[in-house]
Amino acid sequence: MTASRRAFLGLAGGVAATAVLAGCGGDWFTAGSGTGSQGALLASRVPLPEPYRIPLPVPPNLNPTNGTIDLTARRSAIEILPGRTTEILGYDGVFPGPTIRARSGEGLRLQLRNDTEIDTVLHLHGGRTPAEHDGYPTDVVTPGAERTYSYPLRQRAAPLWYHDHAMDFTGPNVYAGLAGMAIIGSDEEDALGLPSGDWDLPLVITDRSFDADGAFAYPLADPAGTRPGVTMRYHGGVLGDCVLVNGAPWPVLEVDAARYRFGILNASNARRFELRLDHGVRFTQVGTDGGLLERPVTRDAIAMAGAERPTC
């Protein structure tokens, strides 16, 4: 996509907003906003920042060394809302997790260490993975333990994502931060001359709500977190009232007058999004979560349900 140097990126509850990704009306914080989101709104108990003031962060890249990546699940205290600290469960202590960059057909070993106090499981969502390495919900990595996952990656170039998959606790664990993108490249994709380097950016979109102390708010039926389930109102899913892109609330991105490629992930609990470009500009979509399209498709909007991953 092409934009002026002073274009901005932002997202607002169920729709996108302003110059690079732009909104199309509706209430920011109601279920659906015309996009079909199911679930109930959980209101934050702390003032939220004014949109489009915080620079867009970019998660660190994590590249294999001799075909291996080391990843640690651990607690970390980070600043998401300006001037406040939020404790997360994060891969390598960041939210979202580092962007794994790997190559189609080049096997990847991922060594996960669990430095949290809870059981965790890692699932490569979208990966063609042997059953014993798929992250079945009961194949837990207990606190202090390690596990190596083997991914053949015999699949086309595509944006994948990895996340916690623990039985009965996937929802709260992912909400707490255990998720990140894994972008698979290939020679086929390289030959197309698509934007790369600083012009190839992941956009991990989530919605979250915050407690009065700045912590992520999540409506567990058992506040101690020892039993699964959410309160009855949220059985259809949790809709946060603060939209985060790469972990920042309604961020902005200053861009060059150049083409950019965005691998986009909807990692929200229940909210759907409809992304539009400002000033009548249209998307050129080149891929989906299954790989490259047969040919580019020009779109006025990109609709995204949970876990969907278009490339534009």
Side-chain angles (χ1 to χ4, degrees):
M1 65 184 67
T2 303
S4 68
R5 181 165 179 77
R6 291 297 300 176
F8 295 99
L9 166 70
L11 289 161
V15 295
T18 78
V20 169
L21 294 179
C24 53
D27 186 341
W28 284 7
F29 305 132
T30 56
S33 294
T35 63
S37 293
Q38 303 298 315
L41 179 69
L42 178 62
S44 290
R45 300 174 59 199
V46 63
L48 299 177
E50 185 177 354
Y52 323 130
R53 295 292 184 269
I54 298 172
L56 175 77
V58 179
N61 287 326
L62 197 54
N63 298 296
T65 300
N66 297 323
T68 300
I69 281 178
D70 294 319
L71 199 65
T72 300
R74 60 182 175 88
R75 288 194 178 273
S76 181
I78 64 174
E79 182 177 294
I80 296 176
L81 302 179
R84 297 181 183 273
T85 298
T86 299
E87 185 178 83
I88 65 161
L89 292 174
Y91 293 112
D92 287 354
V94 298
F95 172 72
T99 301
I100 294 173
R101 299 276 182 174
R103 301 287 294 181
S104 174
E106 298 181 8
L108 173 67
R109 293 183 304 278
L110 193 153
Q111 296 179 345
L112 175 68
R113 176 173 175 79
N114 182 8
D115 279 351
T116 76
E117 74 288 355
I118 63 171
D119 292 342
T120 187
V121 180
L122 192 140
H123 174 64
L124 182 62
H125 194 123
R128 291 187 177 182
T129 304
E132 62 270 27
H133 296 285
D134 193 50
Y136 193 73
T138 56
D139 289 341
V140 297
V141 183
T142 56
E146 298 182 0
R147 178 166 183 160
T148 299
Y149 297 88
S150 180
Y151 303 123
L153 300 182
R154 290 192 289 268
Q155 60 192 98
R156 302 179 68 207
L160 313 183
W161 68 304
Y162 62 98
H163 58 78
D164 178 87
H165 205 216
M167 176 69 78
D168 295 328
F169 288 95
T170 296
N173 289 353
V174 172
Y175 196 94
L178 288 174
M181 289 198 76
I183 298 178
I184 311 304
S186 70
D187 293 342
E188 174 193 24
E189 184 185 56
D190 293 345
L192 298 176
L194 297 173
S196 60
D198 292 342
W199 295 272
D200 176 15
L201 299 176
L203 300 179
V204 181
I205 306 172
T206 63
D207 60 338
R208 295 290 186 268
S209 296
F210 294 86
D211 280 330
D213 61 358
F216 284 144
Y218 193 83
L220 288 170
D222 169 26
T226 58
R227 297 191 304 274
V230 294
T231 56
M232 181 65 71
R233 172 175 169 80
Y234 298 96
H235 278 194
V238 181
L239 302 179
D241 59 0
C242 182
V243 175
L244 309 175
V245 185
N246 293 349
W250 299 293
V252 298
L253 171 67
E254 184 175 288
V255 298
D256 295 318
R259 292 188 180 275
Y260 283 75
R261 174 168 46 161
F262 293 127
I264 311 172
L265 163 65
N266 180 1
S268 298
N269 183 273
R271 190 180 292 280
R272 299 185 179 202
F273 293 92
E274 185 175 89
L275 311 183
R276 292 182 181 271
L277 294 170
D278 204 358
H279 307 305
V281 180
R282 305 176 75 191
F283 287 101
T284 299
Q285 184 176 356
V286 297
T288 69
D289 41 27
L292 293 168
L293 298 175
E294 183 178 355
R295 62 181 59 87
V297 177
T298 302
R299 301 191 184 280
D300 293 323
I302 302 290
M304 296 180 62
E308 286 194 311
R309 305 177 302 281
T311 300
C312 301

